[in-house]
Structures are given as C-alpha cells and as structure tokens.
Amino acid sequence: MSNQVSVYNDAGNFEHAQRVAKSLSVATFVPEAYRGNVANCLVALEMANRLNVPPLMVMQNLHIIHGRPSWSSQFYIAAVNSSGRFTPLTYKVTGEGDERTCTAYATSRETGEVLEGVPVSIGMAKAEGWYAKVGSKWKTMPDVMLRYRAAAFFAKFYCPEITMGIYRDWE
C-alpha cells in the first residue's frame, strides 16, 4: 500500500483528483465504464493511489460487473508475481474432459513453503455456470480460462491484501 494521502482526505487533493478524473473521463482509450463517468474515474484514481500504480493500469484491469468492482485475472497474476512474496505463479494441469483441472501454485519467499491454490476444473466451470454464459471463452480457450481462474483463487486465498480484497465477480 502507498503511504500517499487519500484523494478523499483533503479538499485540495480532492479538487486536484476531480480535475484529473475529468480529463481521464473524456479520453477515448479508457474503458467504457470510465468514459464520461468522473465518479468512476475518481474511484480508480483512489485505488491507483492506494496500490501505488498508474491510474490507467487500474482502469484497464478493474471492471464494473453488476455494479461491483472486479479485477481482471491478468491483474491478479501480475499482482502476485510482482509482490515479491512468492515465486512466479506456476500451473499444474491434469485430466481430460470435465475432469481437466488446473491448480496454481507458488513458493513463499518467506518460508520456502509451496502454496497450492484451489483446484479449478471444467466440471466446476460448468457447475458454476461460467462455461455456458454468452461470450464465454471456456469452450474455445479452456486451458487459458483454467489458469486465469486458478490464479485468481490463489491471489484471493493467499494475498487478498495485495488487491485490497476486491472480489472477482465471475462473468
């Protein structure tokens, strides 16, 4: 977490953040959830400030799904891999069909312990309704989706503070 002051703690910071948010909200390359929405941009600025990352990184990886903030799987992977707390995430994939399963794991740099995340399977994706959703990539890129979900579960289980505990809504 950054030692910087929140954009909400001080009137001067808030005014400056509003000007920045307004300029970001009119940029054509920011994701749709932020275009024309100064309030969403302001929240993204606060999160970027707290995580000590560029605002555009937050805006490109924090999606609003059913009114809730949700990190992309790529953000989870980057957050874990760049945290310095673990070796880079690695994946073990086994089985076929609905039994095809992926587990993300990494080694704790502090203890040397190998930490395994929650196994994710094609069967789980089907049971949770991820597989059949319109636009789902589970049918065309199952191995990628298995890794993304396994990485997100690893991050949520072993280091939720790295992503400020924001829950990944499964679209």
Side-chain angles (χ1 to χ4, degrees), residues 7 9 18 30 34 41 43 47 55 74 79 84 89 94 97 103 105 107 111 113 123 132 143 148 150 158:
V7 299
N9 283 358
Q18 282 185 309
V30 298
Y34 301 96
C41 291
V43 171
M47 295 180 78
Q74 295 92 328
L89 284 173
T94 59
T103 306
Y105 63 96
T107 301
T111 66
E113 179 184 4
D143 284 334
Y148 280 172
Y158 288 108

Side-chain angles (χ1 to χ4, degrees), residues 153-168:
F153 281 145
F154 182 96
K156 288 190 293 185
F157 189 78
Y158 288 108
C159 52
E161 70 284 358
I162 290 175
T163 57
M164 300 184 331
I166 294 179
Y167 179 74
R168 168 90 168 111

